[in-house]
Amino acid sequence: MMFPSRRTVLALLGSCTLLAGCASPQLHIYTLGIPVHTDTKSLQVSPQTTIVQISRIIMPDYLDSQEIITRQGEEIRRSPNSRWASRLSLGITDLITNEVAASQHDILVTDQPLAQAADIQIMVAISEFDVDVSGHAILNAHWAIVPHDRHKPMVRNIAHLAANGPVRTDADTAALMRKLVIQLAEHISRSIPATP
């Protein structure tokens, strides 16, 4: 009966240790929105219902990724083990659409393609959205509310928002960013002209 040599056993143990040491930490995936469970129902939209379409959010390229980012001065820090479930611009668009829809009961709010032009289109551009390592977050954005009827005025607005909170974990950072996006959605919702 042959036994492996001492050198072979040590090599095998060393390989196992290296493999265990190289195992990467668990990847955490975050969304900005939290699903709200409601009763199932189907509603018919009347031809008179005002339809509002929210265009995909525009934001700086370095932010519009799936990486969760914090800032320390001029340095951008990317989380090594957490990601957004989709590009940040898509997550923000979804959350703003859902928040505006929840606060506007007389109109239909969507971010999906439509068979015909919406009555109102909302275009949002985020120029700055940073969370620093000390827990201070800022979101600067401007938006335009463009009516399909060219005889109606276009509405333009700007918001400079700030919030503070813990950023010890990526979950903390995601929650702080969510808070600011909800604030932005509230500003956008209040700026939508009343429907007749």
Side-chain angles (χ1 to χ4, degrees), residues 46-149:
S46 76
Q48 290 76 35
T49 300
T50 299
I51 299 176
V52 175
Q53 183 179 35
I54 298 180
S55 300
R56 181 173 172 175
I57 305 301
I58 298 168
M59 61 191 315
D61 287 343
Y62 79 95
L63 287 174
D64 193 18
S65 70
Q66 286 186 257
E67 296 175 308
I68 294 180
I69 295 172
T70 52
R71 179 186 287 276
Q72 182 170 18
E74 295 178 355
E75 180 186 354
I76 299 297
R77 295 185 172 186
R78 301 177 189 279
S79 172
N81 57 359
S82 296
R83 299 285 183 271
W84 295 114
S86 64
R87 292 183 75 88
L88 187 55
S89 60
L90 291 172
I92 294 173
T93 303
D94 289 343
L95 182 53
I96 288 176
T97 302
N98 291 337
E99 290 296 314
V100 172
S103 65
Q104 297 280 346
H105 304 292
D106 299 329
I107 62 177
L108 173 65
V109 182
T110 183
D111 58 7
Q112 299 301 306
L114 300 168
Q116 61 185 39
D119 299 298
I120 297 172
Q121 184 177 21
I122 300 177
M123 295 178 283
V124 182
I126 291 174
S127 57
E128 191 172 8
F129 194 8
D130 284 317
V131 178
D132 69 26
V133 293
S134 66
H136 181 68
I138 59 169
L139 191 163
N140 294 325
H142 61 275
W143 66 95
I145 298 176
V146 184
H148 181 63
D149 183 347

Side-chain angles (χ1 to χ4, degrees), residues 18-40:
L18 281 174
L19 287 174
C22 292
S24 59
Q26 180 182 2
L27 181 64
H28 299 276
I29 306 294
Y30 292 92
T31 63
L32 279 174
I34 298 172
V36 177
H37 299 290
T38 57
D39 295 333
T40 303

